[in-house]
Amino acid sequence: SQKIEQNSEALNIQEGKTATLTCNYTNYSPAYLQWYRQDPGRGPVFLLLIRENEKEKRKERLKVTFDTTLKQSLFHITASQPADSATYLCALDTTDKLIFGTGTRLQVFP
Amino acid sequence: GAGVSQTPSNKVTEKGKYVELRCDPISGHTALYWYRQSLGQGPEFLIYFQGTGAADDSGLPNDRFFAVRPEGSVSTLKIQRTERGDSAVYLCASSLGTVNTGELFFGEGSRLTVL
Protein backbone atom coordinates (compact mmCIF):
# COMPACT_ATOMS: atom_id res chain seq x y z
CA SER A 1 0.00 0.00 0.00
CA GLN A 2 1.04 3.61 -0.43
CA LYS A 3 2.66 5.15 2.59
CA ILE A 4 4.32 8.44 3.58
CA GLU A 5 6.41 8.31 6.75
CA GLN A 6 7.75 11.16 8.81
CA ASN A 7 9.49 10.99 12.18
CA SER A 8 6.64 10.37 14.59
CA GLU A 9 8.77 11.40 17.54
CA ALA A 10 9.14 15.10 18.22
CA LEU A 11 12.50 16.60 17.32
CA ASN A 12 14.03 18.77 20.03
CA ILE A 13 17.06 20.88 19.17
CA GLN A 14 18.92 23.83 20.56
CA GLU A 15 18.66 27.27 19.04
CA GLY A 16 21.32 27.90 16.40
CA LYS A 17 21.64 24.25 15.38
CA THR A 18 20.44 22.73 12.10
CA ALA A 19 17.18 20.77 12.23
CA THR A 20 16.83 17.88 9.76
CA LEU A 21 13.43 16.31 9.15
CA THR A 22 12.87 13.18 7.05
CA CYS A 23 10.09 12.17 4.71
CA ASN A 24 10.11 8.63 3.27
CA TYR A 25 7.53 7.23 0.89
CA THR A 26 6.69 3.88 -0.67
CA ASN A 27 4.65 2.91 -3.70
CA TYR A 28 4.49 6.44 -5.03
CA SER A 29 6.20 8.05 -8.00
CA PRO A 30 5.56 11.72 -7.32
CA ALA A 31 6.48 14.36 -9.87
CA TYR A 32 7.10 16.76 -7.02
CA LEU A 33 6.97 17.11 -3.27
CA GLN A 34 5.92 19.98 -1.02
CA TRP A 35 6.68 20.94 2.58
CA TYR A 36 4.24 22.80 4.83
CA ARG A 37 4.42 24.28 8.30
CA GLN A 38 1.50 23.96 10.70
CA ASP A 39 1.14 25.80 14.00
CA PRO A 40 -1.31 24.56 16.69
CA GLY A 41 -4.91 25.40 15.81
CA ARG A 42 -3.97 26.78 12.39
CA GLY A 43 -4.08 25.52 8.82
CA PRO A 44 -0.90 24.36 7.06
CA VAL A 45 1.20 27.03 5.34
CA PHE A 46 3.24 26.30 2.22
CA LEU A 47 7.03 26.50 2.49
CA LEU A 48 8.75 24.86 -0.49
CA LEU A 49 8.08 22.77 -3.59
CA ILE A 50 10.72 20.56 -5.21
CA ARG A 51 10.34 18.72 -8.52
CA GLU A 52 11.58 15.22 -9.29
CA ASN A 53 14.33 16.55 -11.56
CA GLU A 54 15.63 18.90 -8.85
CA LYS A 55 18.06 17.50 -6.33
CA GLU A 56 17.97 20.45 -3.96
CA LYS A 57 16.02 23.67 -3.35
CA ARG A 58 16.78 26.52 -0.99
CA LYS A 59 14.80 29.41 0.47
CA GLU A 60 16.47 31.60 3.08
CA ARG A 61 17.32 29.26 5.99
CA LEU A 62 15.41 26.34 4.49
CA LYS A 63 16.82 23.59 2.27
CA VAL A 64 15.00 20.62 0.79
CA THR A 65 16.47 17.61 -1.01
CA PHE A 66 14.60 15.05 -3.07
CA ASP A 67 16.06 11.63 -3.85
CA THR A 68 13.70 9.65 -6.09
CA THR A 69 15.96 6.58 -5.93
CA LEU A 70 15.87 6.44 -2.12
CA LYS A 71 12.26 7.70 -2.16
CA GLN A 72 13.19 10.26 0.44
CA SER A 73 13.12 14.01 1.04
CA LEU A 74 15.13 15.80 3.71
CA PHE A 75 14.09 19.19 5.07
CA HIS A 76 16.73 21.31 6.79
CA ILE A 77 16.38 24.47 8.84
CA THR A 78 19.73 26.10 9.47
CA ALA A 79 20.43 28.47 12.39
CA SER A 80 17.16 27.35 13.97
CA GLN A 81 15.19 29.73 16.18
CA PRO A 82 12.48 29.15 18.81
CA ALA A 83 10.03 30.71 16.31
CA ASP A 84 10.67 27.71 14.02
CA SER A 85 8.91 25.46 16.55
CA ALA A 86 5.93 23.92 14.74
CA THR A 87 4.81 20.74 12.98
CA TYR A 88 6.25 20.22 9.51
CA LEU A 89 4.32 18.21 6.93
CA CYS A 90 5.57 16.73 3.68
CA ALA A 91 3.09 16.15 0.86
CA LEU A 92 3.30 14.23 -2.42
CA ASP A 93 1.30 14.84 -5.57
CA THR A 94 -0.85 12.09 -7.03
CA THR A 95 -1.82 13.82 -10.27
CA ASP A 96 -4.77 15.78 -8.92
CA LYS A 97 -4.29 16.07 -5.15
CA LEU A 98 -1.68 16.20 -2.41
CA ILE A 99 -1.29 13.33 0.03
CA PHE A 100 0.20 14.37 3.37
CA GLY A 101 2.46 12.62 5.82
CA THR A 102 1.70 12.58 9.53
CA GLY A 103 4.06 15.47 10.23
CA THR A 104 7.01 15.93 12.57
CA ARG A 105 6.83 18.28 15.54
CA LEU A 106 9.93 20.42 15.91
CA GLN A 107 10.76 22.13 19.20
CA VAL A 108 13.64 24.62 19.24
CA PHE A 109 14.69 25.63 22.73
CA PRO A 110 16.85 28.63 23.67
CA GLY B 1 -10.88 38.67 2.46
CA ALA B 2 -7.45 37.78 1.17
CA GLY B 3 -7.33 34.20 2.43
CA VAL B 4 -9.44 31.06 2.55
CA SER B 5 -12.30 31.53 4.98
CA GLN B 6 -14.02 28.65 6.81
CA THR B 7 -17.14 28.77 8.95
CA PRO B 8 -17.96 27.86 11.60
CA SER B 9 -14.59 27.72 13.31
CA ASN B 10 -16.08 25.40 15.93
CA LYS B 11 -19.14 23.20 15.81
CA VAL B 12 -20.41 20.95 18.59
CA THR B 13 -23.26 18.64 17.69
CA GLU B 14 -24.97 15.52 18.91
CA LYS B 15 -24.64 12.09 17.36
CA GLY B 16 -27.13 11.64 14.55
CA LYS B 17 -27.46 15.33 13.65
CA TYR B 18 -26.79 16.96 10.27
CA VAL B 19 -23.88 19.39 9.87
CA GLU B 20 -22.80 21.83 7.15
CA LEU B 21 -19.31 23.32 6.94
CA ARG B 22 -18.62 26.22 4.60
CA CYS B 23 -15.50 27.20 2.69
CA ASP B 24 -14.94 30.49 0.86
CA PRO B 25 -11.79 30.14 -1.27
CA ILE B 26 -9.44 32.84 -2.51
CA SER B 27 -11.07 34.77 -5.33
CA GLY B 28 -10.09 33.38 -8.74
CA HIS B 29 -8.90 30.01 -7.45
CA THR B 30 -10.51 27.32 -9.57
CA ALA B 31 -9.38 24.33 -7.51
CA LEU B 32 -10.83 23.61 -4.05
CA TYR B 33 -9.95 20.77 -1.69
CA TRP B 34 -11.42 19.38 1.52
CA TYR B 35 -9.21 17.55 3.99
CA ARG B 36 -9.88 16.10 7.43
CA GLN B 37 -7.29 16.14 10.21
CA SER B 38 -7.42 14.15 13.43
CA LEU B 39 -5.21 14.93 16.41
CA GLY B 40 -1.58 14.01 15.78
CA GLN B 41 -2.22 13.09 12.15
CA GLY B 42 -1.61 14.76 8.82
CA PRO B 43 -4.47 16.10 6.69
CA GLU B 44 -6.45 13.29 5.03
CA PHE B 45 -7.81 14.00 1.54
CA LEU B 46 -11.60 13.97 1.14
CA ILE B 47 -12.62 15.63 -2.14
CA TYR B 48 -11.30 17.92 -4.88
CA PHE B 49 -13.27 20.34 -7.07
CA GLN B 50 -12.12 21.86 -10.32
CA GLY B 51 -14.66 24.59 -10.98
CA THR B 52 -18.15 23.36 -10.12
CA GLY B 53 -17.54 19.66 -10.55
CA ALA B 54 -16.07 17.15 -8.13
CA ALA B 55 -13.00 15.92 -10.00
CA ASP B 56 -12.03 13.40 -7.33
CA ASP B 57 -14.22 12.33 -4.40
CA SER B 58 -12.30 9.15 -3.63
CA GLY B 59 -11.49 10.28 -0.08
CA LEU B 60 -15.06 10.65 1.15
CA PRO B 61 -15.34 7.93 3.82
CA ASN B 62 -18.96 6.92 3.11
CA ASP B 63 -22.25 8.17 1.71
CA ARG B 64 -22.98 10.28 4.80
CA PHE B 65 -20.46 12.78 3.45
CA PHE B 66 -21.29 15.02 0.51
CA ALA B 67 -19.84 18.27 -0.84
CA VAL B 68 -21.05 20.83 -3.36
CA ARG B 69 -19.65 23.87 -5.12
CA PRO B 70 -22.60 25.06 -7.23
CA GLU B 71 -21.14 28.28 -8.63
CA GLY B 72 -17.48 27.35 -8.69
CA SER B 73 -16.60 29.45 -5.66
CA VAL B 74 -18.02 28.73 -2.18
CA SER B 75 -18.17 25.06 -1.19
CA THR B 76 -20.20 23.30 1.48
CA LEU B 77 -19.26 19.98 3.08
CA LYS B 78 -22.35 18.20 4.37
CA ILE B 79 -22.32 15.38 6.91
CA GLN B 80 -25.50 13.45 7.62
CA ARG B 81 -26.24 11.35 10.72
CA THR B 82 -22.99 12.40 12.39
CA GLU B 83 -21.04 9.85 14.40
CA ARG B 84 -18.49 10.36 17.17
CA GLY B 85 -15.76 9.20 14.77
CA ASP B 86 -16.47 12.19 12.54
CA SER B 87 -14.95 14.48 15.17
CA ALA B 88 -11.93 16.18 13.60
CA VAL B 89 -10.75 19.44 12.09
CA TYR B 90 -12.05 19.86 8.55
CA LEU B 91 -9.65 21.88 6.42
CA CYS B 92 -10.40 23.57 3.13
CA ALA B 93 -7.73 24.66 0.65
CA SER B 94 -7.72 26.37 -2.72
CA SER B 95 -5.22 26.82 -5.54
CA LEU B 96 -5.00 28.70 -8.82
CA GLY B 97 -5.01 25.66 -11.07
CA THR B 98 -4.36 21.99 -10.64
CA VAL B 99 -2.25 20.95 -7.72
CA ASN B 100 0.90 20.50 -9.78
CA THR B 101 1.01 24.22 -10.51
CA GLY B 102 1.97 24.99 -6.97
CA GLU B 103 0.94 25.44 -3.41
CA LEU B 104 -2.35 24.98 -1.65
CA PHE B 105 -3.70 27.84 0.47
CA PHE B 106 -5.43 26.49 3.56
CA GLY B 107 -8.09 27.98 5.78
CA GLU B 108 -7.90 27.77 9.56
CA GLY B 109 -10.28 24.82 9.64
CA SER B 110 -13.63 23.97 11.19
CA ARG B 111 -13.33 21.91 14.36
CA LEU B 112 -16.22 19.46 14.57
CA THR B 113 -17.03 17.71 17.84
CA VAL B 114 -19.73 15.05 17.86
CA LEU B 115 -20.96 14.18 21.33
Side-chain angles (χ1 to χ4, degrees):
Chain A
S1 63
Q2 297 174 321
K3 196 184 291 185
I4 303 170
E5 291 183 336
Q6 295 187 251
N7 314 62
S8 56
E9 301 281 328
L11 181 62
N12 297 307
I13 64 165
Q14 191 170 26
E15 183 176 12
K17 302 290 187 187
T18 296
T20 298
L21 284 68
T22 305
C23 176
N24 294 296
Y25 59 92
T26 56
N27 296 326
Y28 282 108
S29 296
Y32 62 92
L33 184 150
Q34 298 185 19
W35 283 87
Y36 286 76
R37 169 184 173 140
Q38 187 172 27
D39 290 284
R42 311 294 298 271
V45 174
F46 172 80
L47 295 174
L48 279 168
L49 177 154
I50 185 166
R51 302 186 192 284
E52 61 179 340
N53 60 353
E54 296 176 315
K55 289 284 191 287
E56 181 180 298
K57 199 105 176 245
R58 291 174 186 262
K59 180 182 174 184
E60 298 172 352
R61 295 184 296 111
L62 308 181
K63 185 179 87 170
V64 171
T65 63
F66 191 11
D67 189 325
T68 55
T69 301
L70 289 179
K71 294 186 180 294
Q72 180 182 77
S73 175
L74 298 179
F75 177 81
H76 306 272
I77 306 175
T78 58
S80 59
Q81 304 165 1
D84 295 327
S85 299
T87 295
Y88 292 86
L89 299 157
C90 73
L92 308 183
D93 80 295
T94 58
T95 307
D96 61 355
K97 59 186 179 283
L98 287 182
I99 302 299
F100 284 84
T102 54
T104 297
R105 191 162 60 86
L106 173 67
Q107 185 73 40
V108 181
F109 56 91
Chain B
V4 176
S5 176
Q6 291 189 246
T7 54
S9 54
N10 275 288
K11 176 72 177 178
V12 180
T13 191
E14 292 180 342
K15 180 173 177 294
K17 299 289 189 185
Y18 170 79
V19 164
E20 286 191 354
L21 306 175
R22 176 189 165 109
C23 173
D24 201 338
I26 293 173
S27 177
H29 281 193
T30 58
L32 185 146
Y33 306 81
W34 284 99
Y35 285 82
R36 177 169 72 173
Q37 188 172 28
S38 300
L39 193 64
Q41 301 296 313
E44 173 194 6
F45 171 77
L46 296 177
I47 186 169
Y48 154 57
F49 288 90
Q50 186 62 245
T52 60
D56 185 340
D57 65 357
S58 61
L60 294 178
N62 52 58
D63 61 6
R64 295 187 298 105
F65 289 75
F66 190 69
V68 295
R69 195 186 186 199
E71 296 177 359
S73 178
V74 171
S75 176
T76 305
L77 179 65
K78 308 180 181 197
I79 310 173
Q80 298 178 318
R81 304 183 304 279
T82 51
E83 299 177 357
R84 291 195 180 88
D86 298 335
S87 297
V89 175
Y90 289 81
L91 293 164
C92 176
S94 69
S95 67
L96 266 175
T98 55
V99 77
N100 59 6
T101 60
E103 67 187 280
L104 299 189
F105 293 83
F106 280 87
E108 303 289 43
S110 292
R111 180 178 297 278
L112 175 65
T113 303
V114 182
L115 301 177

PDB file of all heavy atoms in Angstrom, chain A residues 57-78:
ATOM      1  N   LYS A  57      16.648  22.349  -3.228  1.00  0.00           N
ATOM      2  CA  LYS A  57      16.019  23.668  -3.348  1.00  0.00           C
ATOM      3  C   LYS A  57      16.254  24.423  -2.051  1.00  0.00           C
ATOM      4  O   LYS A  57      16.190  23.826  -0.960  1.00  0.00           O
ATOM      5  CB  LYS A  57      14.509  23.506  -3.549  1.00  0.00           C
ATOM      6  CG  LYS A  57      13.811  24.713  -4.130  1.00  0.00           C
ATOM      7  CD  LYS A  57      13.489  24.428  -5.561  1.00  0.00           C
ATOM      8  CE  LYS A  57      12.696  25.542  -6.181  1.00  0.00           C
ATOM      9  NZ  LYS A  57      11.361  25.091  -6.542  1.00  0.00           N
ATOM     10  N   ARG A  58      16.518  25.710  -2.186  1.00  0.00           N
ATOM     11  CA  ARG A  58      16.780  26.524  -0.992  1.00  0.00           C
ATOM     12  C   ARG A  58      15.875  27.748  -0.966  1.00  0.00           C
ATOM     13  O   ARG A  58      15.517  28.303  -2.003  1.00  0.00           O
ATOM     14  CB  ARG A  58      18.227  26.999  -0.970  1.00  0.00           C
ATOM     15  CG  ARG A  58      19.250  25.924  -0.747  1.00  0.00           C
ATOM     16  CD  ARG A  58      20.667  26.470  -0.892  1.00  0.00           C
ATOM     17  NE  ARG A  58      21.668  25.410  -0.813  1.00  0.00           N
ATOM     18  CZ  ARG A  58      22.343  25.106   0.300  1.00  0.00           C
ATOM     19  NH1 ARG A  58      22.149  25.777   1.401  1.00  0.00           N
ATOM     20  NH2 ARG A  58      23.230  24.115   0.285  1.00  0.00           N
ATOM     21  N   LYS A  59      15.546  28.166   0.257  1.00  0.00           N
ATOM     22  CA  LYS A  59      14.799  29.408   0.468  1.00  0.00           C
ATOM     23  C   LYS A  59      15.191  29.927   1.838  1.00  0.00           C
ATOM     24  O   LYS A  59      14.811  29.358   2.857  1.00  0.00           O
ATOM     25  CB  LYS A  59      13.299  29.145   0.409  1.00  0.00           C
ATOM     26  CG  LYS A  59      12.439  30.376   0.629  1.00  0.00           C
ATOM     27  CD  LYS A  59      10.962  29.987   0.599  1.00  0.00           C
ATOM     28  CE  LYS A  59      10.068  31.153   0.966  1.00  0.00           C
ATOM     29  NZ  LYS A  59       8.642  30.758   1.020  1.00  0.00           N
ATOM     30  N   GLU A  60      15.970  30.984   1.822  1.00  0.00           N
ATOM     31  CA  GLU A  60      16.465  31.597   3.075  1.00  0.00           C
ATOM     32  C   GLU A  60      17.146  30.528   3.925  1.00  0.00           C
ATOM     33  O   GLU A  60      18.117  29.912   3.493  1.00  0.00           O
ATOM     34  CB  GLU A  60      15.308  32.297   3.799  1.00  0.00           C
ATOM     35  CG  GLU A  60      14.724  33.426   2.962  1.00  0.00           C
ATOM     36  CD  GLU A  60      13.453  34.014   3.570  1.00  0.00           C
ATOM     37  OE1 GLU A  60      12.928  33.456   4.550  1.00  0.00           O
ATOM     38  OE2 GLU A  60      12.986  35.028   3.041  1.00  0.00           O
ATOM     39  N   ARG A  61      16.677  30.252   5.139  1.00  0.00           N
ATOM     40  CA  ARG A  61      17.322  29.255   5.992  1.00  0.00           C
ATOM     41  C   ARG A  61      16.828  27.828   5.744  1.00  0.00           C
ATOM     42  O   ARG A  61      17.228  26.901   6.448  1.00  0.00           O
ATOM     43  CB  ARG A  61      17.085  29.623   7.469  1.00  0.00           C
ATOM     44  CG  ARG A  61      17.752  30.933   7.897  1.00  0.00           C
ATOM     45  CD  ARG A  61      17.561  31.205   9.389  1.00  0.00           C
ATOM     46  NE  ARG A  61      16.166  31.402   9.742  1.00  0.00           N
ATOM     47  CZ  ARG A  61      15.454  30.554  10.464  1.00  0.00           C
ATOM     48  NH1 ARG A  61      15.994  29.430  10.910  1.00  0.00           N
ATOM     49  NH2 ARG A  61      14.198  30.823  10.760  1.00  0.00           N
ATOM     50  N   LEU A  62      15.983  27.650   4.766  1.00  0.00           N
ATOM     51  CA  LEU A  62      15.413  26.338   4.493  1.00  0.00           C
ATOM     52  C   LEU A  62      16.109  25.679   3.301  1.00  0.00           C
ATOM     53  O   LEU A  62      16.468  26.348   2.336  1.00  0.00           O
ATOM     54  CB  LEU A  62      13.915  26.456   4.183  1.00  0.00           C
ATOM     55  CG  LEU A  62      13.058  27.216   5.180  1.00  0.00           C
ATOM     56  CD1 LEU A  62      11.597  27.213   4.726  1.00  0.00           C
ATOM     57  CD2 LEU A  62      13.183  26.633   6.568  1.00  0.00           C
ATOM     58  N   LYS A  63      16.283  24.356   3.398  1.00  0.00           N
ATOM     59  CA  LYS A  63      16.824  23.589   2.273  1.00  0.00           C
ATOM     60  C   LYS A  63      16.091  22.264   2.192  1.00  0.00           C
ATOM     61  O   LYS A  63      15.872  21.606   3.218  1.00  0.00           O
ATOM     62  CB  LYS A  63      18.324  23.332   2.441  1.00  0.00           C
ATOM     63  CG  LYS A  63      18.954  22.631   1.237  1.00  0.00           C
ATOM     64  CD  LYS A  63      20.446  22.408   1.427  1.00  0.00           C
ATOM     65  CE  LYS A  63      20.727  21.116   2.141  1.00  0.00           C
ATOM     66  NZ  LYS A  63      22.173  20.759   2.123  1.00  0.00           N
ATOM     67  N   VAL A  64      15.684  21.890   1.002  1.00  0.00           N
ATOM     68  CA  VAL A  64      15.001  20.620   0.789  1.00  0.00           C
ATOM     69  C   VAL A  64      15.766  19.819  -0.245  1.00  0.00           C
ATOM     70  O   VAL A  64      16.225  20.365  -1.252  1.00  0.00           O
ATOM     71  CB  VAL A  64      13.553  20.843   0.295  1.00  0.00           C
ATOM     72  CG1 VAL A  64      12.926  19.527  -0.139  1.00  0.00           C
ATOM     73  CG2 VAL A  64      12.718  21.480   1.374  1.00  0.00           C
ATOM     74  N   THR A  65      15.910  18.511  -0.006  1.00  0.00           N
ATOM     75  CA  THR A  65      16.467  17.612  -1.011  1.00  0.00           C
ATOM     76  C   THR A  65      15.425  16.567  -1.373  1.00  0.00           C
ATOM     77  O   THR A  65      14.512  16.287  -0.588  1.00  0.00           O
ATOM     78  CB  THR A  65      17.739  16.918  -0.496  1.00  0.00           C
ATOM     79  OG1 THR A  65      17.400  16.106   0.645  1.00  0.00           O
ATOM     80  CG2 THR A  65      18.812  17.926  -0.122  1.00  0.00           C
ATOM     81  N   PHE A  66      15.580  16.008  -2.560  1.00  0.00           N
ATOM     82  CA  PHE A  66      14.595  15.050  -3.067  1.00  0.00           C
ATOM     83  C   PHE A  66      15.355  13.960  -3.799  1.00  0.00           C
ATOM     84  O   PHE A  66      15.962  14.221  -4.834  1.00  0.00           O
ATOM     85  CB  PHE A  66      13.638  15.777  -4.016  1.00  0.00           C
ATOM     86  CG  PHE A  66      12.407  14.997  -4.439  1.00  0.00           C
ATOM     87  CD1 PHE A  66      12.029  13.809  -3.830  1.00  0.00           C
ATOM     88  CD2 PHE A  66      11.597  15.497  -5.445  1.00  0.00           C
ATOM     89  CE1 PHE A  66      10.884  13.127  -4.223  1.00  0.00           C
ATOM     90  CE2 PHE A  66      10.435  14.828  -5.845  1.00  0.00           C
ATOM     91  CZ  PHE A  66      10.088  13.650  -5.234  1.00  0.00           C
ATOM     92  N   ASP A  67      15.357  12.753  -3.246  1.00  0.00           N
ATOM     93  CA  ASP A  67      16.060  11.627  -3.847  1.00  0.00           C
ATOM     94  C   ASP A  67      15.027  10.601  -4.285  1.00  0.00           C
ATOM     95  O   ASP A  67      14.484   9.869  -3.451  1.00  0.00           O
ATOM     96  CB  ASP A  67      17.041  11.030  -2.827  1.00  0.00           C
ATOM     97  CG  ASP A  67      17.966   9.994  -3.449  1.00  0.00           C
ATOM     98  OD1 ASP A  67      17.510   9.252  -4.359  1.00  0.00           O
ATOM     99  OD2 ASP A  67      19.127   9.904  -3.035  1.00  0.00           O
ATOM    100  N   THR A  68      14.759  10.542  -5.590  1.00  0.00           N
ATOM    101  CA  THR A  68      13.702   9.646  -6.091  1.00  0.00           C
ATOM    102  C   THR A  68      14.148   8.190  -6.093  1.00  0.00           C
ATOM    103  O   THR A  68      13.302   7.301  -6.142  1.00  0.00           O
ATOM    104  CB  THR A  68      13.268  10.053  -7.506  1.00  0.00           C
ATOM    105  OG1 THR A  68      14.419  10.084  -8.354  1.00  0.00           O
ATOM    106  CG2 THR A  68      12.614  11.425  -7.506  1.00  0.00           C
ATOM    107  N   THR A  69      15.472   7.959  -6.008  1.00  0.00           N
ATOM    108  CA  THR A  69      15.961   6.578  -5.926  1.00  0.00           C
ATOM    109  C   THR A  69      15.732   6.033  -4.520  1.00  0.00           C
ATOM    110  O   THR A  69      15.227   4.916  -4.346  1.00  0.00           O
ATOM    111  CB  THR A  69      17.450   6.510  -6.284  1.00  0.00           C
ATOM    112  OG1 THR A  69      17.635   7.023  -7.603  1.00  0.00           O
ATOM    113  CG2 THR A  69      17.969   5.079  -6.205  1.00  0.00           C
ATOM    114  N   LEU A  70      16.091   6.832  -3.523  1.00  0.00           N
ATOM    115  CA  LEU A  70      15.870   6.436  -2.123  1.00  0.00           C
ATOM    116  C   LEU A  70      14.415   6.624  -1.705  1.00  0.00           C
ATOM    117  O   LEU A  70      14.012   6.143  -0.647  1.00  0.00           O
ATOM    118  CB  LEU A  70      16.757   7.270  -1.204  1.00  0.00           C
ATOM    119  CG  LEU A  70      18.261   7.004  -1.229  1.00  0.00           C
ATOM    120  CD1 LEU A  70      18.979   7.943  -0.268  1.00  0.00           C
ATOM    121  CD2 LEU A  70      18.556   5.547  -0.867  1.00  0.00           C
ATOM    122  N   LYS A  71      13.647   7.354  -2.499  1.00  0.00           N
ATOM    123  CA  LYS A  71      12.261   7.696  -2.160  1.00  0.00           C
ATOM    124  C   LYS A  71      12.238   8.459  -0.830  1.00  0.00           C
ATOM    125  O   LYS A  71      11.531   8.084   0.125  1.00  0.00           O
ATOM    126  CB  LYS A  71      11.370   6.460  -2.106  1.00  0.00           C
ATOM    127  CG  LYS A  71      11.190   5.792  -3.466  1.00  0.00           C
ATOM    128  CD  LYS A  71      10.181   4.654  -3.391  1.00  0.00           C
ATOM    129  CE  LYS A  71       9.983   3.979  -4.729  1.00  0.00           C
ATOM    130  NZ  LYS A  71       9.368   4.846  -5.746  1.00  0.00           N
ATOM    131  N   GLN A  72      13.029   9.521  -0.807  1.00  0.00           N
ATOM    132  CA  GLN A  72      13.188  10.263   0.436  1.00  0.00           C
ATOM    133  C   GLN A  72      13.402  11.753   0.159  1.00  0.00           C
ATOM    134  O   GLN A  72      14.045  12.136  -0.818  1.00  0.00           O
ATOM    135  CB  GLN A  72      14.404   9.730   1.200  1.00  0.00           C
ATOM    136  CG  GLN A  72      14.678  10.411   2.522  1.00  0.00           C
ATOM    137  CD  GLN A  72      15.922   9.849   3.190  1.00  0.00           C
ATOM    138  OE1 GLN A  72      17.044  10.166   2.814  1.00  0.00           O
ATOM    139  NE2 GLN A  72      15.707   9.019   4.181  1.00  0.00           N
ATOM    140  N   SER A  73      12.837  12.579   1.045  1.00  0.00           N
ATOM    141  CA  SER A  73      13.122  14.005   1.039  1.00  0.00           C
ATOM    142  C   SER A  73      13.623  14.397   2.426  1.00  0.00           C
ATOM    143  O   SER A  73      13.111  13.911   3.438  1.00  0.00           O
ATOM    144  CB  SER A  73      11.869  14.810   0.708  1.00  0.00           C
ATOM    145  OG  SER A  73      12.123  16.198   0.807  1.00  0.00           O
ATOM    146  N   LEU A  74      14.632  15.248   2.453  1.00  0.00           N
ATOM    147  CA  LEU A  74      15.129  15.797   3.706  1.00  0.00           C
ATOM    148  C   LEU A  74      14.847  17.294   3.718  1.00  0.00           C
ATOM    149  O   LEU A  74      15.018  17.979   2.717  1.00  0.00           O
ATOM    150  CB  LEU A  74      16.635  15.556   3.852  1.00  0.00           C
ATOM    151  CG  LEU A  74      17.084  14.095   3.897  1.00  0.00           C
ATOM    152  CD1 LEU A  74      18.599  14.015   4.009  1.00  0.00           C
ATOM    153  CD2 LEU A  74      16.422  13.348   5.043  1.00  0.00           C
ATOM    154  N   PHE A  75      14.427  17.781   4.882  1.00  0.00           N
ATOM    155  CA  PHE A  75      14.086  19.191   5.069  1.00  0.00           C
ATOM    156  C   PHE A  75      14.988  19.732   6.170  1.00  0.00           C
ATOM    157  O   PHE A  75      14.994  19.199   7.283  1.00  0.00           O
ATOM    158  CB  PHE A  75      12.612  19.291   5.459  1.00  0.00           C
ATOM    159  CG  PHE A  75      12.125  20.682   5.760  1.00  0.00           C
ATOM    160  CD1 PHE A  75      11.768  21.546   4.738  1.00  0.00           C
ATOM    161  CD2 PHE A  75      11.990  21.117   7.068  1.00  0.00           C
ATOM    162  CE1 PHE A  75      11.296  22.816   5.011  1.00  0.00           C
ATOM    163  CE2 PHE A  75      11.526  22.386   7.350  1.00  0.00           C
ATOM    164  CZ  PHE A  75      11.183  23.246   6.320  1.00  0.00           C
ATOM    165  N   HIS A  76      15.766  20.757   5.839  1.00  0.00           N
ATOM    166  CA  HIS A  76      16.731  21.306   6.786  1.00  0.00           C
ATOM    167  C   HIS A  76      16.359  22.752   7.124  1.00  0.00           C
ATOM    168  O   HIS A  76      16.014  23.535   6.224  1.00  0.00           O
ATOM    169  CB  HIS A  76      18.144  21.316   6.184  1.00  0.00           C
ATOM    170  CG  HIS A  76      18.611  19.991   5.672  1.00  0.00           C
ATOM    171  ND1 HIS A  76      19.254  19.062   6.462  1.00  0.00           N
ATOM    172  CD2 HIS A  76      18.540  19.445   4.432  1.00  0.00           C
ATOM    173  CE1 HIS A  76      19.554  18.004   5.728  1.00  0.00           C
ATOM    174  NE2 HIS A  76      19.128  18.205   4.495  1.00  0.00           N
ATOM    175  N   ILE A  77      16.479  23.083   8.402  1.00  0.00           N
ATOM    176  CA  ILE A  77      16.379  24.475   8.842  1.00  0.00           C
ATOM    177  C   ILE A  77      17.711  24.812   9.494  1.00  0.00           C
ATOM    178  O   ILE A  77      18.063  24.220  10.529  1.00  0.00           O
ATOM    179  CB  ILE A  77      15.246  24.696   9.859  1.00  0.00           C
ATOM    180  CG1 ILE A  77      13.917  24.184   9.322  1.00  0.00           C
ATOM    181  CG2 ILE A  77      15.141  26.177  10.225  1.00  0.00           C
ATOM    182  CD1 ILE A  77      12.775  24.277  10.338  1.00  0.00           C
ATOM    183  N   THR A  78      18.453  25.719   8.899  1.00  0.00           N
ATOM    184  CA  THR A  78      19.735  26.101   9.474  1.00  0.00           C
ATOM    185  C   THR A  78      19.540  27.268  10.452  1.00  0.00           C
ATOM    186  O   THR A  78      18.542  27.997  10.372  1.00  0.00           O
ATOM    187  CB  THR A  78      20.731  26.519   8.387  1.00  0.00           C
ATOM    188  OG1 THR A  78      20.156  27.610   7.635  1.00  0.00           O
ATOM    189  CG2 THR A  78      21.010  25.386   7.425  1.00  0.00           C
TER     190      THR A  78
END
